[in-house]
Amino acid sequence: MRSLRLPRSPKVIIGLVIVGFFIIMTVIGPWLAPYDPSSTAFAPLLSPSAHHWLGTTSLGQDIFSQLLVGARATMVVALLAGLAATILSMTVGIAAGYLGGWSDEGLSLVSNVFLAIPGVPLLIVIDSYLPVNSRSNFFVIGLIISLTGWAWGARVLRAQTMSLRNRDFVEAARIIGEKRTRIMFTEVAPNLLPVLASSFLFTVLYSIGAYVTLAYIGLTSTAVWNWGTMLYWAQANNAPLSGEWYWFVPPGICIALVGTGLALVNFGIDEFINPRLRAGGLTARQRRQLGLPRRIRLGLTPVLHASSKPKIVPAHAKLVSQ
Amino acid sequence: MLARRLLLYIVTAWVAITANFLLPRMMPGNPIQTLIGKITNTVTPEEIRAIRLSFGLGFHQGLVAQYFTYLTQLVHGNLGISITLGAPVSSILREAVPWTVGLIGLSTIFSFAIGTFGGALLGWTRGSRLDSLIPTATFFQAVPYFFLATVMLLLFGSDLHWFPVLGAYSPTVTQGWNLAYIESVIRYGELPLIAIVLSSLAGWMLGMRNMMITMIGEDFVLMAVAKGLPRRKVIWHAARNAILPSIANLSLAIGLVVSGALLVELVFNYPGVGDLLLQAVLNEDYPLIQGIFLVITLAVLAANFLADIVYLWLDPRTRTVAAV
């Protein structure tokens, strides 16, 4: 079995560092926050200073505290939605790909329908009908977001399952008389791990965007601090146009950074799944160590020759053996 | 293949229409009843009757009968009456839709063209210094559309005064087919357009790059090089094949682009559907929210179908094989 180590390209490392940083912020952010994010005890619209690193809002709330506290809601909802959507897409995708026939037709139709309906407008409709107290519930919001975000993963997983279902080891499990659900979840699913991981990260990325969008147009409870509500209040008080950049820029940058981190890690997974991409993703230094030309003009997966390679480094040897 | 796709879109449209019907009736807390309680003072009893009728309240009709009434209304283009604006939803939408279609349609075409071209180039020159563009592109892909739009509005609109901002045309010109008006519409559309293109560009670019790299490893590209074709032709050869998955992915992408672009309208006060949607959400104007959702969905489905036709035209294999 192939080892699950990601290629050690700088892209992946940077991505992992960014994601790791924000996960830590999710866990300890609310404890680190110097003030209560809702407290209006300070002077309004203070510029950043030693006391208020990011200044205060027009209501005199500490923006830095809001940013730290807001990380948790944003990340938790996105992770919940990503998890729920991945479970859903795994079930539907693998079942459709493995069972084939009418089950496949039906399940594919459902996922294609969900893929074609624009997710965020649907979310807005559903959310606008929710009672206000449900809008602050992480689980409710997370589940609704996952409902609009699972279909893409299901489609990818279905295609991958179809390429696996006639392999020998699956055939063997079938002949032994394993139950279908067992084959699907213990034989097929583990081999889809990279695809599953990629689809999970993608859904988390989508969920952050969706949640922040809902918050930005005022459709999540304003009692819960997340980066979207921060932007909502900044916009509602005309912070962008009156030049209070410290109010609306930090949450936006945080959202973008988390997204960048997730996308970079996903890049690594893509390179893991697709060896051709991996060769394309090597850095100049790695390529020099491998004895490859500086620029690969023709797009063959690079092949190493013993003569051009003084010493084989184990991590790179894998590249060749595949 | 085309017939199959069309069938899918018809089913999807039906699902969206039915969801639109069921949602207000199934949600906990009876939102419509609450709403009617709130607006009794501002709306005539006649209009309340119409709203009650369209949401099936107090008319002791079965759900099935209500559903058929709803469908009949829909076929006649009747989307109900906006609660806050007091006008039929369909006529409100008729004013807003052209702005949105123009802005989002144009920016999608631009970003697809530029992104695909750039992606093909990035894929071909992989491993070169151009690769350092990838993290930047990823960052732009991850920035929420509305945030990038806000920053651009602030920077290039209010600070540098490079572009006029807020609205879709100068308030001083008279609307209609005169040169001043058309020029003003173009000037006011530039910044929102650039904002949407910048936000959506990276997705096309990265997807195309990856497809290009995969494609370059195929035998037919090696063959093309072996034949001694000039490099320009080889790139075109590979790119034409790499572009197919990009177009196949349009269905996913169009939905995301539209969702993001709607919020850009909101930032720029652009008088399109996005701006309308925000007002509707703020005022809990359910008939308007639902009408907008329906129109967006149908527009996205139509765009998908267009993409399918283009795909079919580009890929001769799909014309014979009945595969989706």
Side-chain angles (χ1 to χ4, degrees), chain A residues 128 213 240 263 274 276 298-299, chain B residues 138 147 154 214 216-217 222 263 286:
Chain A
S128 66
T213 302
N274 185 343
R276 280 178 187 162
L298 221 202
Chain B
T138 318
F147 179 69
L154 191 64
T214 312
I216 285 172
L222 184 63
L263 294 188
Y286 294 116

Side-chain angles (χ1 to χ4, degrees), chain A residues 280-295:
Chain A
L282 290 177
T283 62
R285 195 159 145 244
Q286 286 168 323
R287 209 169 306 117
R288 203 163 48 242
Q289 285 173 346
L290 283 165
L292 294 173
R294 259 192 73 76
R295 287 184 63 184

Side-chain angles (χ1 to χ4, degrees), chain A residues 80-142:
Chain A
L80 269 176
L83 202 66
T86 307
I87 293 172
L88 198 60
S89 59
M90 186 169 98
T91 315
V92 174
I94 295 181
Y98 182 77
L99 297 175
W102 282 106
S103 325
D104 182 19
E105 290 284 332
L107 292 172
S108 295
L109 181 68
V110 174
S111 39
N112 282 333
V113 164
F114 271 91
L115 205 58
I117 295 182
V120 171
L122 177 62
L123 269 181
I124 291 174
V125 176
I126 298 177
D127 211 53
S128 66
Y129 280 117
L130 279 184
V132 176
N133 57 347
S134 314
R135 291 183 194 171
S136 59
N137 189 323
F138 289 174
F139 281 96
V140 174
I141 295 281

Side-chain angles (χ1 to χ4, degrees), chain A:
Chain A
M1 192 177 157
R2 294 192 289 183
S3 81
L4 276 175
R5 267 176 49 206
L6 290 173
R8 271 188 274 153
S9 72
K11 268 181 292 192
V12 178
I13 294 169
I14 296 171
L16 284 174
V17 168
I18 296 175
V19 173
F21 174 80
F22 281 103
I23 286 177
I24 293 172
M25 189 164 160
T26 306
V27 178
I28 62 172
W31 298 325
L32 287 183
Y35 308 104
D36 174 2
S38 307
S39 155
T40 54
F42 310 105
L45 294 175
L46 291 175
S47 296
S49 66
H51 291 287
H52 302 283
W53 287 9
L54 294 173
T56 57
T57 68
S58 60
L59 287 176
Q61 298 155 326
D62 183 51
I63 295 173
F64 185 59
S65 301
Q66 292 183 352
L67 195 70
L68 284 174
V69 173
R72 185 173 286 180
T74 314
M75 296 292 281
V76 164
V77 168
L79 289 174
L80 269 176
L83 202 66
T86 307
I87 293 172
L88 198 60
S89 59
M90 186 169 98
T91 315
V92 174
I94 295 181
Y98 182 77
L99 297 175
W102 282 106
S103 325
D104 182 19
E105 290 284 332
L107 292 172
S108 295
L109 181 68
V110 174
S111 39
N112 282 333
V113 164
F114 271 91
L115 205 58
I117 295 182
V120 171
L122 177 62
L123 269 181
I124 291 174
V125 176
I126 298 177
D127 211 53
S128 66
Y129 280 117
L130 279 184
V132 176
N133 57 347
S134 314
R135 291 183 194 171
S136 59
N137 189 323
F138 289 174
F139 281 96
V140 174
I141 295 281
L143 283 180
I144 293 175
I145 293 177
S146 75
L147 204 65
T148 62
W150 61 275
W152 179 80
R155 211 158 90 156
V156 176
L157 286 166
R158 168 180 172 270
Q160 292 289 323
T161 305
M162 285 171 78
S163 77
L164 278 178
R165 75 169 194 223
N166 292 325
R167 296 271 183 90
D168 286 346
F169 69 96
V170 180
E171 204 71 56
R174 237 188 323 255
I175 291 166
I176 296 171
E178 300 255 31
K179 272 194 293 189
R180 280 198 302 207
T181 45
R182 200 185 137 75
I183 296 178
M184 282 191 267
F185 288 101
T186 62
E187 303 287 346
V188 175
N191 284 287
L192 295 174
L193 206 57
V195 186
L196 271 173
S198 158
S199 117
F200 172 71
L201 292 184
F202 179 84
T203 324
V204 172
L205 191 65
Y206 164 77
S207 310
I208 291 179
Y211 184 51
V212 167
T213 302
L214 286 182
Y216 177 67
I217 56 178
L219 271 177
T220 64
S221 162
T222 42
V224 177
W225 284 106
N226 65 53
W227 295 332
T229 34
M230 289 179 71
L231 289 168
Y232 168 78
W233 286 115
Q235 179 75 29
N237 289 293
N238 242 333
L241 283 178
S242 34
E244 286 128 20
W245 57 268
Y246 47 85
W247 192 352
F248 80 98
V249 169
I253 295 287
C254 281
I255 297 162
L257 276 180
V258 176
T260 310
L262 289 169
L264 287 176
V265 176
N266 227 344
F267 242 100
I269 297 175
D270 275 349
E271 286 174 4
F272 175 81
I273 299 171
N274 185 343
R276 280 178 187 162
L277 283 183
R278 189 168 355 156
L282 290 177
T283 62
R285 195 159 145 244
Q286 286 168 323
R287 209 169 306 117
R288 203 163 48 242
Q289 285 173 346
L290 283 165
L292 294 173
R294 259 192 73 76
R295 287 184 63 184
I296 313 167
R297 290 211 176 272
L298 221 202
L300 293 171
T301 308
V303 177
L304 300 184
H305 301 287
S307 58
S308 69
K309 185 80 191 77
K311 190 175 76 188
I312 287 186
V313 190
H316 299 139
K318 267 199 314 195
L319 177 86
V320 191
S321 64
Q322 283 167 27

Side-chain angles (χ1 to χ4, degrees), chain B residues 159-174:
Chain B
D159 276 7
L160 296 170
H161 295 289
W162 287 358
F163 300 96
V165 291
L166 301 184
Y169 48 87
S170 163
T172 54
V173 299
T174 45

Side-chain angles (χ1 to χ4, degrees), chain A residues 118-126 128 213-214 217-219, chain B residues 20 84-85 89 92-93 96 100 258-266 270-297:
Chain A
V120 171
L122 177 62
L123 269 181
I124 291 174
V125 176
I126 298 177
S128 66
T213 302
L214 286 182
I217 56 178
L219 271 177
Chain B
N20 235 353
T84 42
L85 300 171
V89 171
I92 298 172
L93 281 173
T100 303
V258 169
S259 306
L262 289 178
L263 294 188
V264 173
E265 286 186 354
L266 197 156
Y270 208 76
V273 175
D275 202 38
L276 207 57
L277 183 59
L278 177 80
Q279 289 169 29
V281 165
L282 287 181
N283 299 319
E284 296 184 312
D285 192 339
Y286 294 116
L288 193 53
I289 299 178
Q290 294 203 309
I292 292 173
F293 167 67
L294 214 57
V295 167
I296 295 173
T297 306

Side-chain angles (χ1 to χ4, degrees), chain B residues 53-280:
Chain B
L53 186 65
S54 59
F55 286 102
L57 275 178
F59 281 87
H60 305 296
Q61 249 183 332
L63 205 60
V64 181
Q66 283 181 37
Y67 187 52
F68 279 103
T69 321
Y70 166 78
L71 287 182
T72 322
Q73 297 277 328
L74 210 59
V75 169
H76 290 99
N78 186 351
L79 293 168
I81 292 166
S82 159
I83 293 162
T84 42
L85 300 171
V89 171
S90 49
S91 65
I92 298 172
L93 281 173
R94 211 168 295 142
E95 304 242 316
V97 164
W99 292 111
T100 303
V101 169
L103 181 66
I104 299 184
L106 268 183
S107 35
T108 307
I109 292 170
F110 275 127
S111 81
F112 182 79
I114 303 172
T116 309
F117 186 77
L121 218 64
L122 272 184
W124 186 260
T125 60
R126 75 213 175 287
S128 75
R129 220 170 293 155
L130 277 179
D131 264 9
S132 54
L133 273 178
I134 295 171
T136 322
T138 318
F139 183 80
F140 273 99
Q141 193 183 14
V143 178
Y145 284 55
F146 61 85
F147 179 69
L148 188 71
T150 312
V151 173
M152 288 179 68
L153 169 73
L154 191 64
L155 218 61
F156 301 118
S158 340
D159 276 7
L160 296 170
H161 295 289
W162 287 358
F163 300 96
V165 291
L166 301 184
Y169 48 87
S170 163
T172 54
V173 299
T174 45
Q175 293 190 46
W177 286 109
N178 58 69
L179 211 62
Y181 177 66
I182 294 170
E183 201 187 314
S184 151
V185 166
I186 294 173
R187 285 290 292 157
Y188 273 75
E190 280 166 0
L191 200 55
L193 187 108
I194 296 173
I196 299 173
V197 169
L198 267 186
S199 314
S200 52
L201 187 67
W204 299 119
M205 207 153 87
L206 296 176
M208 184 66 183
R209 171 190 178 268
N210 283 0
M211 267 328 289
M212 191 73 180
I213 291 179
T214 312
M215 220 30 96
I216 285 172
E218 296 288 337
D219 288 342
F220 72 86
V221 179
L222 184 63
M223 174 71 182
V225 176
K227 278 197 298 193
L229 289 181
R231 196 191 315 160
R232 193 166 34 86
K233 279 199 172 163
V234 180
I235 297 181
W236 168 240
H237 208 46
R240 230 174 57 180
N241 284 279
I243 205 175
L244 289 172
S246 257
I247 292 174
N249 274 339
L250 264 176
S251 51
L252 175 73
I254 289 177
L256 287 178
V257 171
V258 169
S259 306
L262 289 178
L263 294 188
V264 173
E265 286 186 354
L266 197 156
V267 171
F268 284 100
N269 265 350
Y270 208 76
V273 175
D275 202 38
L276 207 57
L277 183 59
L278 177 80
Q279 289 169 29

